[in-house]
Amino acid sequence: METAEMQTIILNEIESRQLLEDQNINLNKYAFTRTKEEAVNQARTMQFPLVMKVVSPVIVHKSDFGGVQVGLKTVEEVEQAYDRIYENAARKGVLRNEIEGVVVQEMIEGVQEILVGIKRDPIFGPVLVIGIGGIFVELFKDVQLGICPLTEEDVSKMIEGLKGFPLLNGFRGRKQADVNALISLSQKVSAMAMENEQIVEMDLNPVILKENGYGAVAVDARIVLKQ
Amino acid sequence: MESATLPLQDSLKAAFKPNSIAIIGASNGPRLGGAEMRLLIHSGFKGEIYPINPKESIIQGKQAYPSILDVPGPVDRASIIVPASKVLQVVKECGEKGVKVVQIYSAGFGEMGQKGEQIEREMVEIAHHYQMRIIGPNCIGTYCPSSGLNFTKGASKETGNIAFVSQSGGIAFDMVTRGHIMGIHYSKVISVGNCIDLDHSDYLEYLADDEETEIIGFYIESVRNGRKFVKALQKAASKKTVVILKGGRTASGSQSVASHTGSVAGDFQIWNALFKQTGAIPVTSIEEMLITLLSQQKIKRFVDKKIAIVGNGGGATVLATDYCEEVNIELAQLQPKSAEKLTSLGVAENGRNINPIDMPAGQLAAEEGKLFGEVVKTLCEDEEVGYLLFHFNLIPIMNYMDLENIVQKMIEKLKVVDRTKTNLIGVLRYNGDPEVENIRFKAAKLLESQGIPVFSTIEQGLDGISSVVNH
């Protein structure tokens, strides 16, 4: 059993997004900004409502820090949200120079938030994780794992194996989610981990799964690389 | 890849069915080398046995040789039972001799840290140079009743369709000896130790094609090449039933806090994913392994057929009903004519006690089990029923009759059952009394001779049925 500590680097959202874009993984429109002016200018090019998120190497769970502001409908709200993010971070003891900036992005509505992730196991290699996503991942732990490489059928079985699968399948009048889009996104993520040995862990959380036929969009991402 | 050119089929054939064996470290004494040889002779091994020991000239009636290089004829398999410090030299001599496979019983390599690992690497290098394969080190031997290989007393001489591969010697003992008492029969059982050369994937690949084997059991602690193992398991599980007991399930590697994924994907979850993906059956204890193997060997799967239960003990019957639901097996809804018949026999009343059926001890034993026989017949002739679990709590029955006699009579009655349509599953319960134990054992052997699996508790019997129905 390997016990040697591995040196890893955690890519921030912007770096993670770049890797995912290279693989044609669907992401929402976003921009990284360093000043309030930049944030406002970028916001003007986007379709409201928007989301803003803090980018900092010292913050893992952004929403716990008040580092995520959602449902911003106007430019004024963007300005206020920008200040709030810095105030919230400061209150938690994060220094101003520990914050790299703020991401502004379009808010995506969908049927369900999903987690798609990778963990590289020292014995079996990349393991794909699909789960009911959002901030309750660790609480409900409704996830299915699969050892890569995986066929379309394997991934489909993983999704159907989720306790929360009915949420994607029209439970109590909900809209049917685009499960095929989730399968194809998951396949791209596993292919990425199979090709790139450096990838130790990946989180696409959440992936917004839209109504059937409208696709799946990753709105946050975190990738851990071996150095 | 070097390993692609190394022999596998021939080496493992030589491990299980050798024409000749050298026991390096054989002796006349009570230690492992002496025991190995005695067991081999006693178990009826028909090939040549060459004891190797420079200090003896005759061992257990056979000519001994100072080194394997002195043996006149060819040697297929060598069992190496010498101190760790001498193993490297012995492996080299085996290679020179042209031995196909060695099983190294000696331990004390991994524990020696880096130096031990260095020796392991050298052994593998030397073996491969001579196209020889290594099983072990740190193992207790090979059991194969069809060729007369054996590593323990209390092993069955009968061959069955189960192969078992164990990374622990102790668990290999348990499987063979406890299996024998429970009526489990093996094609082969092998203790594979540290797997420095031949590993789990190799054994899986061999057994997937082995004509003697339909069911493969594994005790695994660690796997070296995960990707190769997944492939081999996928192949084996698509052809045969594979049951895996994984040791160290909760030992989590360095758990990550850097991502959500890392925190929900521990070792335990990854192994479970592997089982699901390949169709291998996971078990979590030695008991569950034995129950699963016995059931997979003895119970046939009848699609869409349900279970019927009959026996003595009202409370036990209620608990059995609960347990069925917990292990996901369905009680049969009997046809009206079966229900009528049960009513006319006097066991059911007003549509109650139809399935499961509680028959008090006095009723079970009445007229030498005549009524029991009629009930069994009625249940088994019902189209819905594919599995009949009958349970006797022996102690209450003892109050009515001579236990040994009546149990044999009741077992006689089971002969009316058409076994191509209905599985019989027996449960013989008692309180641990040594006198009753003897009677129970005889009854169990009688049932076993008719191919009926016997369990000690109703729950075990239902677990067994569940393992067949739900996989």
Side-chain angles (χ1 to χ4, degrees):
Chain A
M1 208 48 92
E2 275 183 48
T3 48
E5 277 295 310
M6 196 184 353
Q7 290 291 321
T8 59
I9 37 170
I10 302 174
L11 301 186
N12 67 24
E13 184 175 355
I14 303 118
E15 296 158 333
S16 301
R17 276 175 177 264
Q18 266 151 17
L19 282 185
L20 294 170
E21 267 171 6
D22 293 345
Q23 299 290 321
N24 290 321
I25 287 167
N26 235 350
L27 296 147
N28 60 342
K29 191 169 181 198
Y30 80 109
F32 173 64
T33 64
R34 287 178 199 279
T35 64
K36 200 196 288 187
E37 288 66 38
E38 258 188 279
V40 168
N41 287 339
Q42 289 294 342
R44 288 189 207 277
T45 70
M46 294 183 189
Q47 191 167 355
F48 286 81
L50 303 179
V51 178
M52 287 168 72
K53 289 187 264 184
V54 66
V55 178
S56 164
V58 300
I59 301 174
V60 175
H61 297 290
K62 294 187 281 276
S63 51
D64 295 357
F65 277 77
V68 180
Q69 302 288 320
V70 302
L72 312 172
K73 294 186 206 70
T74 62
V75 169
E76 290 69 38
E77 283 183 23
V78 167
E79 285 175 330
Q80 288 158 10
Y82 189 92
D83 293 335
R84 232 173 6 248
I85 285 174
Y86 275 86
E87 281 160 24
N88 289 340
R91 205 171 302 137
K92 298 275 183 175
V94 179
L95 302 175
R96 206 165 172 94
N97 65 7
E98 287 174 322
I99 297 176
E100 292 169 14
V102 168
V103 158
V104 183
Q105 54 188 255
E106 290 180 356
M107 189 162 157
I108 307 288
E109 303 275 5
V111 179
Q112 181 60 45
E113 292 192 340
I114 298 285
L115 160 78
V116 176
I118 289 287
K119 179 181 173 178
R120 186 175 298 275
D121 182 79
I123 297 167
F124 295 111
V127 177
L128 175 73
V129 178
I130 302 177
I132 298 300
I135 58 171
F136 298 127
V137 170
E138 279 103 340
L139 182 61
F140 295 119
K141 293 196 172 85
D142 184 7
V143 293
Q144 290 282 313
L145 281 64
I147 298 165
C148 303
L150 292 155
T151 63
E152 202 178 305
E153 199 194 335
D154 290 332
V155 177
S156 173
K157 270 192 202 154
M158 285 169 68
I159 296 168
E160 281 162 27
L162 290 168
K163 282 195 203 79
F165 177 66
L167 295 173
L168 314 183
N169 201 26
F171 181 69
R172 297 222 168 153
R174 285 167 70 105
K175 291 201 171 112
Q176 198 83 23
D178 200 337
V179 173
N180 285 331
L182 177 58
I183 294 173
S184 117
L185 183 142
S186 304
Q187 294 281 66
K188 284 180 193 167
V189 168
S190 1
M192 198 174 153
M194 293 288 289
E195 279 161 27
N196 187 349
E197 294 269 331
Q198 258 197 304
I199 295 174
V200 179
E201 280 177 29
M202 270 168 85
D203 255 359
L204 280 66
N205 186 33
V207 169
I208 307 291
L209 194 52
K210 298 207 238 181
E211 192 183 337
N212 200 10
Y214 292 85
V217 183
V219 302
D220 200 352
R222 171 177 293 261
I223 298 177
V224 182
L225 295 181
K226 187 162 59 185
Q227 248 176 345
Chain B
M1 286 272 282
E2 187 197 16
S3 65
T5 64
L6 290 167
L8 175 64
Q9 295 292 332
D10 281 357
S11 314
L12 281 173
K13 187 162 179 263
F16 294 114
K17 310 235 162 176
N19 292 316
S20 51
I21 296 183
I23 302 174
I24 305 174
S27 70
N28 289 307
R31 299 179 65 180
L32 186 57
E36 167 84 1
M37 184 150 168
R38 261 188 296 280
L39 284 163
L40 202 54
I41 294 168
H42 182 77
S43 304
F45 177 68
K46 288 181 194 70
E48 292 294 330
I49 302 174
Y50 301 114
I52 313 292
N53 186 336
K55 292 179 196 142
E56 307 279 348
S57 54
I58 301 283
I59 294 175
Q60 299 184 35
K62 291 191 187 289
Q63 154 110 53
Y65 301 89
S67 152
I68 192 161
L69 294 169
D70 301 316
V71 171
V75 177
D76 283 346
R77 171 195 158 107
S79 305
I80 300 178
I81 314 168
V82 298
S85 59
K86 296 196 174 136
V87 171
L88 190 59
Q89 178 60 27
V90 166
V91 166
K92 191 160 186 289
E93 288 172 8
C94 288
E96 276 175 43
K97 175 67 186 168
V99 172
K100 289 178 183 152
V101 66
V102 296
Q103 186 165 21
I104 302 173
Y105 295 40
S106 320
F109 299 96
E111 298 94 311
M112 286 159 70
Q114 277 192 332
K115 195 175 163 225
E117 281 168 26
Q118 173 64 26
I119 296 172
E120 285 183 350
R121 271 194 298 275
E122 276 176 51
M123 288 195 292
V124 174
E125 234 168 75
I126 290 167
H128 288 186
H129 174 73
Y130 292 105
Q131 297 284 296
M132 181 175 83
R133 304 305 301 264
I134 297 174
I135 299 165
N138 190 12
C139 43
I140 54 142
T142 305
Y143 164 66
C144 180
S146 63
S147 65
L149 294 189
N150 187 13
F151 57 75
T152 178
K153 284 191 173 176
S156 166
K157 289 194 187 265
E158 210 178 302
T159 294
N161 61 359
I162 299 174
F164 196 87
V165 179
S166 181
Q167 219 167 349
S168 143
I171 287 179
F173 269 118
D174 277 343
M175 296 322 286
V176 172
T177 58
R178 290 181 62 181
H180 180 36
I181 299 293
M182 286 174 73
I184 297 171
H185 300 294
Y186 297 96
S187 58
K188 42 206 58 142
V189 175
I190 187 161
S191 148
V192 297
N194 300 359
C195 296
I196 61 169
D197 177 24
L198 288 171
D199 63 12
H200 300 300
S201 318
D202 296 317
Y203 298 111
L204 268 174
E205 196 175 320
Y206 177 81
L207 293 171
D209 293 329
D210 180 30
E211 284 173 7
E212 282 187 345
T213 301
E214 287 306 319
I215 300 158
I216 304 167
F218 259 90
Y219 172 71
I220 298 178
E221 279 173 10
S222 59
V223 168
R224 288 189 181 213
N225 184 338
R227 192 122 343 137
K228 186 177 160 204
F229 180 70
V230 174
K231 272 198 185 144
L233 184 56
Q234 255 156 355
K235 181 188 163 200
S238 70
K239 294 166 96 174
K240 300 185 173 175
T241 302
V242 183
V243 189
I244 296 179
L245 173 58
K246 169 72 175 73
R249 291 185 303 275
T250 53
S252 55
S254 55
Q255 284 246 333
S256 162
V257 288
S259 71
H260 296 276
T261 303
S263 70
V264 292
D267 289 358
F268 176 72
Q269 286 86 356
I270 292 173
W271 275 92
N272 275 346
L274 173 72
F275 298 139
K276 212 183 258 184
Q277 221 169 310
T278 55
I281 303 173
V283 296
T284 55
S285 65
I286 295 173
E287 281 67 32
E288 197 186 348
M289 175 59 87
L290 289 163
I291 288 165
T292 306
L293 292 180
L294 177 63
S295 307
Q296 294 288 342
Q297 185 166 56
K298 300 277 168 70
I299 303 173
K300 289 188 281 288
R301 186 158 189 261
F302 296 134
V303 180
D304 293 334
K305 296 289 178 183
K306 311 277 164 27
I307 177 180
I309 301 176
V310 58
N312 59 328
T317 301
V318 173
L319 292 173
T321 309
D322 294 340
Y323 200 72
C324 280
E325 192 167 326
E326 279 159 21
V327 296
N328 204 15
I329 49 184
E330 229 179 302
L331 282 165
Q333 292 287 332
L334 296 191
Q335 295 166 332
K337 66 171 185 194
S338 314
E340 278 164 33
K341 175 82 179 163
L342 290 169
T343 307
S344 73
L345 288 170
V347 294
E349 204 180 315
N350 300 327
R352 299 181 60 165
N353 205 32
I354 288 174
N355 183 26
I357 298 170
D358 167 27
M359 286 181 77
Q363 215 177 23
L364 269 181
E367 292 181 73
E368 302 191 314
K370 183 161 173 268
L371 182 58
F372 171 70
E374 302 264 356
V375 171
V376 165
K377 190 163 180 283
T378 308
L379 291 172
C380 291
E381 280 172 0
D382 192 293
E383 294 278 305
E384 274 269 295
V385 178
Y387 311 84
L388 175 69
L389 182 140
F390 58 95
H391 57 97
F392 302 153
N393 186 357
L394 300 177
I395 307 303
I397 297 174
M398 208 161 59
N399 295 332
Y400 292 89
M401 296 275 194
D402 168 35
L403 186 61
E404 185 162 355
N405 185 34
I406 185 63
V407 169
Q408 283 176 10
K409 291 270 162 55
M410 290 196 292
I411 292 171
E412 277 288 298
K413 304 289 180 209
L414 297 170
K415 293 213 165 119
V416 298
V417 177
D418 179 355
R419 303 278 295 285
T420 62
K421 291 191 178 131
T422 316
N423 287 289
L424 289 174
I425 296 99
V427 173
L428 299 176
R429 303 195 294 134
Y430 77 117
N431 61 351
D433 182 328
E435 267 175 51
V436 182
E437 181 164 298
N438 197 19
I439 297 171
R440 183 198 179 274
F441 187 71
K442 279 190 205 159
K445 287 289 146 189
L446 187 60
L447 288 167
E448 189 198 315
S449 71
Q450 297 172 28
I452 300 171
V454 182
F455 298 90
S456 320
T457 67
I458 297 173
E459 286 78 8
Q460 284 182 1
L462 294 173
D463 282 337
I465 296 170
S466 171
S467 96
V468 173
V469 171
N470 293 315
H471 286 289

